[in-house]
Amino acid sequence: MGEDVVEAGLRDLGRRPAPETLLPAVLGRLGLGYWYAPAESPLGTVLVAHGPAGVVAVRWGESPEAFEAWVRERIGHTVRPAERLPERLAAVVEAGLRGRGRDVRCDLGGLSDFHRDVLEATRTIPLGEVRTYGWVAREIGRPGAVRAVGTALGHNPIPLVIPCHRVVQGDWRLGNYSGDGGPDSKRRVLAAEGVDPGELEALARSRVRFHGSDTTRIFCVPTCRHARRATEAHRVTFGSEAAARAAGYRPCKVCRPAAAA
């Protein structure tokens, strides 16, 4: 049963028009059509568009009309408003908006293979940690494509759920953010996830790129959960991968810091 058939059937139900919320509800239950509803995030209320294959768009700071036009241009389909996300989806999406987005199905159809690779790599960055544009480039096997990675993240259609805010510059400066509000929004979201933006800026000023532990002889990106286990007395800092290796340290197998250089 297609979306057009469902819509035609709803129009034929009695003489009075069906409530505007009925069509999105029926389409959602049948897994048909594209629709959107508001949801709450660390940046306030956002609009979330969803379709048969998953979430297709997240935006904030836009009118419903502008959002509908933007989504239609992105996916080539009309997106309809609904009062709320379906119950089965709402909890997962709102958790994703607050940093736990790995369980959210995302529809990246229409994007280039490179763009999808960048976004999928970005989804692997754990909550409370950051990586660099260079890290993403090397993770997808394109170490020379750092600028292109930045461009792809700047056109992330599903921010917050796909955490492009967790990708920063090579010296740990925050860099730009595609969402409304720019770097200030990026700072707010990272802080809400347990990352201290001031600490990252201090690392940039001091030219520290990696943290090591003199007990394990392993070096990590500074926000790696393993790096944070090292007490200050046993923490060693390095300005480059080469310096860490020259001191006899090996890269962490979890955060893979060599890809952050």
Side-chain angles (χ1 to χ4, degrees):
M1 181 184 295
E3 178 183 345
D4 293 339
V5 175
V6 174
E7 187 170 2
L10 291 175
R11 284 199 303 266
D12 292 338
L13 287 176
R15 295 182 177 179
R16 290 181 298 177
E20 291 184 1
T21 57
L22 181 58
L23 177 60
V26 173
L27 292 175
R29 287 182 181 139
L30 294 174
L32 299 170
Y34 293 87
W35 37 271
Y36 71 94
E40 293 305 314
S41 79
L43 295 175
T45 301
V46 299
L47 296 176
V48 179
H50 188 271
V55 174
V56 295
V58 172
R59 302 278 275 192
W60 59 93
E62 284 189 345
S63 67
E65 295 77 15
F67 181 73
E68 290 175 16
W70 183 80
V71 175
R72 185 165 53 250
E73 181 179 357
R74 153 138 164 69
I75 64 175
H77 293 281
T78 297
V79 58
R80 297 178 172 87
E83 288 185 357
R84 63 184 66 86
L85 296 172
E87 186 175 349
R88 62 181 172 77
L89 177 66
V92 175
V93 168
E94 295 212 5
L97 293 172
R98 295 185 180 278
R100 294 173 175 81
R102 292 193 187 184
D103 294 331
V104 180
R105 282 200 313 150
C106 294
D107 181 355
L108 301 179
L111 302 181
S112 69
D113 290 343
F114 176 83
H115 201 169
R116 284 196 298 271
D117 288 346
V118 168
L119 297 181
E120 291 293 356
T122 300
R123 294 190 78 180
T124 69
I125 303 172
L127 178 69
E129 300 186 23
V130 298
R131 301 290 188 268
T132 68
Y133 295 104
W135 182 92
V136 175
R138 291 178 66 172
E139 283 289 299
I140 65 173
R142 299 283 297 275
V146 177
R147 285 183 178 272
V149 165
T151 299
L153 291 175
H155 293 87
N156 175 13
I158 315 176
L160 297 176
V161 173
I162 297 179
C164 55
H165 55 274
R166 295 179 194 159
V167 184
V168 300
Q169 295 184 7
D171 60 359
W172 306 116
R173 287 181 297 166
L174 296 187
N176 294 322
Y177 187 41
S178 61
D180 185 61
D184 286 342
S185 291
K186 190 171 189 175
R187 177 186 293 270
R188 286 170 57 193
V189 179
L190 287 173
E193 294 184 352
V195 176
D196 183 354
E199 180 182 352
L200 294 177
E201 291 163 353
L203 290 170
R205 289 193 298 271
S206 61
R207 298 186 179 182
V208 170
R209 300 296 178 267
F210 306 110
H211 283 175
S213 167
D214 64 7
T215 58
T216 64
R217 310 294 289 184
I218 292 173
F219 71 98
C220 303
V221 299
T223 58
C224 175
R225 60 185 181 275
H226 295 292
R228 293 186 179 279
R229 290 176 182 168
T231 63
E232 188 172 352
H234 291 282
R235 184 179 302 135
V236 182
T237 61
F238 299 103
S240 68
E241 175 188 349
R245 291 184 182 276
Y249 285 68
R250 58 186 175 84
C252 172
K253 292 182 179 180
V254 176
C255 68
R256 298 181 295 281

